[in-house]
Amino acid sequence: FILNRIQGVIFIMAFSGFSFFRELRELWRFQSLLVNERSIVFYAEDATSFIYFEGLIKELTMNLGRKICYLTSDPNDPILRYGNDKIRSFYIGKGMVRVYLFLSLKADVMVMTMPDLEIFHIKKSKNYHVHYIYVFHSMVSTHLIYRKGAFDHFDTILCIGRHHVDEIRATESAYELKTKILLECGYGHLEALLKKKLEWERQHDPIDHSGKQILIAPSWGPNALLETCGVELVKILLRSGYYVTVRPHPETTKKSPHVIYSIKNQFHGNPKFNLETDIRSQESFYYSYCMISDWSGVALEYAFAL
């Protein structure tokens, strides 16, 4: 029985391209640090998380001179090659190594932009009193869009505005939850968009919108725009003479790749069609005449920035 189990583990590790060994090595490297060397820890689900942390990290490392640790589940996250002696980065994957690291975490502060702490497999540390901070990656409502309990287990929440404060306080009252520290911090990603827009306009000629570039940037899930009528929508717009850029949510790319494949397969040969899968780029924002979205928070970013 034991030999069979060992053979099974070996097969799984071989099948996964030895990613498991890499994650174990990074876990050991992280846990080898002294506690004061990993006082402030950031966790990123993927490479795009950095755009929401960027302002905080710059303030901590450049203006306050603090060192941070950055854990990422993306093996291709650029942060892993980032040349900054104040940022230690570690790849921890999305499997058992990540689960174990969270359960055994020893740090003063953990900063996340992933909700649902304690709800599913990502739990709070059982060995150390870690202070958990949530950073929003969208300006949308906390209870209209997210799952029930998505923010209940954080200690501090960096709220974008008063609407988040009011919603979270109402939720605490309705469900008799602990009172969290709520700080109104604005939205660093929106500030960055506004700044980049001004820089972009200084470097480029005014856009001629006679061709009318349409940006489709929806949310994700079985009832979202691309999943329900993406192909039909693109087809109608192209037939009407518009240029179309489809900018799928990263979760659609991960969870519904067949949707992306279907759209790409039908329109990749059309010179008026473009598929943009890297949401770190904002070029399509600046070139677009308008955006079509659903309940995605990117619609608010586009509205306020452009």
Side-chain angles (χ1 to χ4, degrees), residues 21-242:
F21 289 118
R22 179 185 175 188
E23 294 161 18
L24 277 179
R25 183 187 69 221
E26 294 289 271
L27 172 66
W28 178 84
R29 194 165 67 88
F30 173 74
Q31 294 193 331
S32 295
L33 296 173
L34 298 174
V35 174
N36 63 357
E37 294 180 309
R38 47 184 158 120
S39 174
I40 303 172
V41 180
F42 285 74
Y43 168 67
E45 285 184 273
D46 50 43
T48 61
S49 298
F50 185 78
I51 64 177
Y52 308 107
F53 293 141
E54 189 172 10
L56 278 174
I57 290 175
K58 283 184 177 178
E59 181 69 23
L60 285 167
T61 58
M62 296 174 64
N63 296 343
L64 298 179
R66 299 295 300 270
K67 291 186 177 182
I68 70 161
C69 290
Y70 196 98
L71 310 177
T72 178
S73 289
D74 189 337
N76 300 311
D77 197 325
I79 198 76
L80 296 170
R81 302 180 295 277
Y82 203 53
N84 188 327
D85 61 357
K86 288 189 165 52
I87 301 176
R88 292 187 176 101
S89 56
F90 306 84
Y91 167 64
I92 61 168
K94 297 181 179 180
M96 290 305 300
V97 169
R98 178 177 68 167
V99 172
Y100 176 77
L101 190 150
F102 268 85
L103 285 171
S104 61
L105 180 66
K106 288 186 178 181
D108 292 328
V109 172
M110 164 64 88
V111 186
M112 304 166 60
T113 188
M114 181 180 71
D116 300 314
L117 180 66
E118 284 283 302
I119 303 298
F120 299 109
H121 55 289
I122 300 300
K123 307 292 186 181
K124 299 173 78 168
S125 176
K126 306 303 179 187
N127 299 335
Y128 205 78
H129 183 68
V130 181
H131 190 93
Y132 291 85
I133 298 177
Y134 183 79
V135 176
F136 280 98
H137 57 259
S138 173
M139 293 184 278
V140 297
S141 165
T142 58
H143 64 269
L144 179 67
I145 302 297
Y146 294 92
R147 297 181 183 93
K148 180 178 179 290
F151 310 104
D152 292 355
H153 298 280
F154 289 93
D155 301 296
T156 293
I157 298 181
L158 303 189
C159 300
I160 288 173
R162 189 69 205 177
H163 65 299
H164 282 161
V165 175
D166 292 342
E167 288 177 350
I168 293 168
R169 290 291 183 235
T171 302
E172 290 172 347
S173 176
Y175 296 104
E176 299 182 349
L177 303 172
K178 70 171 184 178
T179 301
K180 291 173 277 296
I181 299 171
L182 305 182
L183 304 175
E184 292 186 56
C185 299
Y187 190 40
H189 183 48
L190 178 61
E191 294 167 15
L193 278 175
L194 289 165
K195 182 179 178 182
K196 289 175 183 175
K197 179 198 173 190
L198 294 175
E199 293 174 353
W200 193 89
E201 287 176 342
R202 284 196 293 266
Q203 297 170 7
H204 295 80
D205 295 328
I207 297 297
D208 177 11
H209 283 304
S210 60
K212 292 193 176 178
Q213 171 80 36
I214 306 295
L215 175 61
I216 301 175
S219 187
W220 64 280
N223 298 313
L225 190 151
L226 287 187
E227 285 83 346
T228 56
C229 61
V231 170
E232 182 183 2
L233 176 61
V234 174
K235 192 178 296 182
I236 290 170
L237 291 171
L238 290 173
R239 283 177 179 171
S240 302
Y242 293 103

